[in-house]
Amino acid sequence: MHLSENEGIEDNVFVVTGGLGFVGAALCAELIRRGAREVRAFDIRNTSQWSDDLIAKGVRILQGDVVSKDDVEKALQGADCVFHLASFGMSGKEMLQFGRVDEVNVNGTCRILDACSALGIRRLVYVSTYNVVFGGKEIVNGNEALPYFPIDDHVDSYGRSKSVAEQLVLKMNGRPSKKNGKCLYTCAIRPAAIYGPGEDRHLPRIVSLSKLGLLPFKVGEDNVKADWIYVDNLVLALVMASMGLLDDIPGKGKKPVAAGQPYFICDGHPVNTFEFLRPFLKSLDYDIPRRSLSVEHALLLGKFFAVFYTILYPWLSRSWLPPPLLLPAEVYKVGVTHYFSYLKAKEELGYTPMVSPKDGMAATISYWQEKKRRMLDGPTLITWVLVVGGMIATLAAAYLPAVGPVPLVRAVSLFFFRTISVVRLVFHMAVAAHILEAVYAWRLASKVDPRNAKGWFWQTALLGFFSLRLLLKRSKNVN
């Protein structure tokens, strides 16, 4: 397919569901750049880290829920093309909120399809996932001829719900509209794991775990490979897919080339996930773990967290509950080889990645290095537990009444320090040292990291030198 770069975009109205997300925002900006008459970002949120930039570019932000018929019809009214990106349950705690996953991914997609049919919209591009065909069994250089993974065999509700939704979308292809009798043409884009500056799902979670020292092992063998895709490459594929649904291209016949078709989209460089992340984590002064955990053992760990967090189901949406370390579906993603060819997308849509993995990772690293300079550094979770726990134990041994575990803590303290007077002296000296270090940290941070000066003060007051040494390192780098 060889079209002008703005074919089917100029003077057209587009709706991007999930338009305030990472990929959705990038897509909205690209559609504006290519001359779209109007771009609407339809999202359950009314703001995100990209919303101000989108508004400045002329994107119209519409708040609503894809499961609401009224919200969907209002957002899609008068649109020429819809990009359906909105989804729920891709990773973390969301994966275990089964009801909401099905509600958004299946029912929400049905709402979009119904509205497209009722309003006479001609083009719908659905963003799917590799998981519609992958469920833990090795796939090497797979293609679109692979059958859907059996619905009942999926280990997570996200993969299952996306598979159901994709099949609904593709079956809707070619259906005449209830409004004007014209056909709705649909296709599905199946992207690999997405990365790039501002990616807000996988990379922040990996950084948080690494920062706390909670990335203790790799999963699977070193020869396991998977695909990744840089955000700009995915946006390019989505735009080209929308062009592939045009039915008024001279010499192309009545049926659009992409109508009713799924496409795998990736950078075309399968790689071990941990090797892919190595330069990223190294640039932030974090290490890739050296120890490996077999897929079988990792699955046991993942199932434990799945059961534990399922018990906590009523509180899964609460911000105070941290995400699980690992879930079964995530074990398969990083521990079992599965990569695919984008040959079909190349031949039918003209897709070729325009950003190499090297350049994409360089841009991602640059973004995160700048972000880390604005963040408050902190030690590992073990350091927090040992230092804060040690201070509390010393306080208990020195002053608290002999109840609960205090007698045992006091006995251990006396074994090392011999008398209560020495225990109290040690406690007072530790508190004084932490206060002095905290004051110094605040004064130093006021010069080298003023936006986090208060955070450095309180963190150093709790952790003493274990916090201060990180500030001293930052000061050295600034100078």
Side-chain angles (χ1 to χ4, degrees):
M1 185 178 72
H2 299 285
L3 304 174
S4 70
E5 70 167 11
N6 299 329
E7 192 78 37
I9 298 178
E10 292 178 331
D11 202 36
N12 278 247
V13 176
F14 293 85
V15 176
V16 180
T17 70
L20 294 187
F22 173 56
V23 177
L27 177 59
C28 287
E30 179 64 9
L31 292 170
I32 288 289
R33 188 189 73 81
R34 288 177 180 249
R37 174 156 55 91
E38 182 181 357
V39 177
R40 305 170 191 163
F42 178 49
D43 204 290
I44 197 167
R45 299 167 290 181
N46 61 8
T47 185
S48 73
Q49 60 178 305
W50 300 281
S51 54
D52 289 343
D53 184 57
L54 291 179
I55 292 172
K57 286 181 167 67
V59 175
R60 183 182 172 194
I61 295 177
L62 300 176
Q63 185 179 15
D65 195 334
V66 291
V67 303
S68 166
K69 179 181 178 181
D70 291 341
D71 288 350
V72 170
E73 290 186 348
K74 180 181 177 181
L76 270 58
Q77 187 73 42
D80 296 294
C81 178
V82 175
F83 292 92
H84 183 29
L85 279 67
S87 67
F88 188 85
M90 182 185 295
S91 61
K93 296 183 295 181
E94 290 182 359
M95 299 179 77
L96 300 173
Q97 294 177 255
F98 313 115
R100 183 61 177 168
V101 170
D102 287 340
E103 184 182 34
V104 173
N105 297 345
V106 179
N107 297 351
T109 299
C110 289
R111 294 292 190 200
I112 296 293
L113 291 171
D114 289 344
C116 286
S117 178
L119 299 173
I121 295 171
R122 304 297 309 282
R123 293 180 283 161
L124 171 63
V125 180
Y126 176 67
V127 176
S128 186
T129 171
Y130 274 17
N131 294 352
V132 299
V133 300
F134 173 71
K137 297 180 180 179
E138 183 177 284
I139 299 176
V140 176
N141 205 33
N143 59 39
E144 289 79 2
L146 288 167
Y148 286 101
F149 192 76
I151 293 294
D152 294 336
D153 292 344
H154 280 280
V155 297
D156 69 313
S157 55
Y158 179 77
R160 182 178 62 252
S161 63
K162 294 291 281 187
S163 179
V164 171
E166 180 186 294
Q167 293 177 67
L168 290 171
V169 168
L170 297 184
K171 286 180 180 179
M172 193 70 174
N173 178 69
R175 298 281 181 91
S177 167
K178 300 174 183 177
K179 179 179 181 181
N180 54 22
K182 293 184 178 181
C183 290
L184 168 66
Y185 293 113
T186 67
C187 69
I189 296 297
R190 301 168 175 174
I194 307 163
Y195 71 105
E199 193 278 327
D200 58 349
R201 284 185 179 272
H202 305 300
L203 297 184
R205 186 176 171 201
I206 291 168
V207 169
S208 296
L209 291 173
S210 299
K211 179 179 177 180
L212 292 172
L214 295 178
L215 202 63
F217 50 79
K218 298 182 288 184
V219 174
E221 303 294 332
D222 291 340
N223 60 354
V224 170
K225 292 183 178 181
D227 284 323
W228 290 78
I229 185 166
Y230 186 66
V231 59
D232 290 355
N233 293 335
L234 176 54
V235 167
L236 173 64
L238 291 170
V239 170
M240 300 186 86
S242 73
M243 296 178 182
L245 295 177
L246 294 169
D247 64 351
D248 56 355
I249 306 301
K252 294 294 181 182
K254 274 269 184 177
K255 183 181 178 182
V257 65
Q261 299 299 312
Y263 296 95
F264 288 111
I265 299 295
C266 61
D267 285 344
H269 294 272
V271 63
N272 180 272
T273 295
F274 295 95
E275 287 305 309
F276 179 80
L277 294 172
R278 184 182 297 278
F280 170 72
L281 292 176
K282 186 176 180 180
S283 71
L284 301 177
D285 295 324
Y286 302 128
D287 294 323
I288 284 286
R290 296 180 180 180
R291 290 173 292 177
S292 294
L293 194 64
S294 69
V295 171
E296 292 76 15
H297 292 154
L299 277 174
L300 290 175
L301 185 62
K303 290 176 181 178
F304 166 79
F305 280 108
V307 171
F308 179 76
Y309 274 76
T310 300
I311 295 172
L312 301 176
Y313 189 89
W315 302 280
L316 287 180
S317 61
R318 303 297 176 87
S319 59
W320 52 261
L321 183 65
L325 179 65
L326 200 62
L327 291 172
E330 295 170 328
V331 172
Y332 287 138
K333 288 177 185 178
V334 301
V336 178
T337 290
H338 62 293
Y339 60 90
F340 298 81
S341 168
Y342 64 80
L343 181 60
K344 181 180 177 181
K346 180 179 181 180
E347 292 179 343
E348 297 185 4
L349 305 179
Y351 167 76
T352 300
M354 65 179 183
V355 180
S356 69
K358 180 179 179 181
D359 292 341
M361 180 55 73
T364 305
I365 286 173
S366 178
Y367 169 86
W368 271 95
Q369 286 179 328
E370 178 58 32
K371 184 174 182 177
K372 188 180 180 184
R373 279 191 284 269
R374 300 193 301 268
M375 292 165 56
L376 179 68
D377 283 341
T380 64
L381 182 62
I382 291 177
T383 301
W384 276 96
V385 171
L386 292 178
V387 175
V388 175
M391 291 292 290
I392 293 174
T394 308
L395 171 64
Y399 290 106
L400 296 187
V403 294
V406 172
L408 176 60
V409 172
R410 182 166 294 150
V412 173
S413 299
L414 290 174
F415 176 80
F416 287 101
F417 301 115
R418 300 302 181 187
T419 67
I420 286 293
S421 298
V422 175
V423 173
R424 291 174 177 171
L425 177 62
V426 168
F427 175 71
H428 292 158
M429 291 176 63
V431 170
H434 280 217
I435 292 174
L436 291 174
E437 288 166 335
V439 171
Y440 177 72
W442 177 76
R443 292 173 63 90
L444 179 59
S446 298
K447 299 177 182 177
V448 301
D449 189 16
R451 78 165 54 82
N452 292 316
K454 186 179 292 186
W456 282 114
F457 173 83
W458 288 111
Q459 181 175 277
T460 306
L462 290 171
L463 300 178
F465 181 72
F466 293 97
S467 171
L468 181 59
R469 67 185 181 87
L470 298 174
L471 178 59
L472 292 172
K473 183 178 181 180
R474 175 169 294 194
S475 174
K476 183 179 179 180
N477 291 336
V478 170
N479 296 331

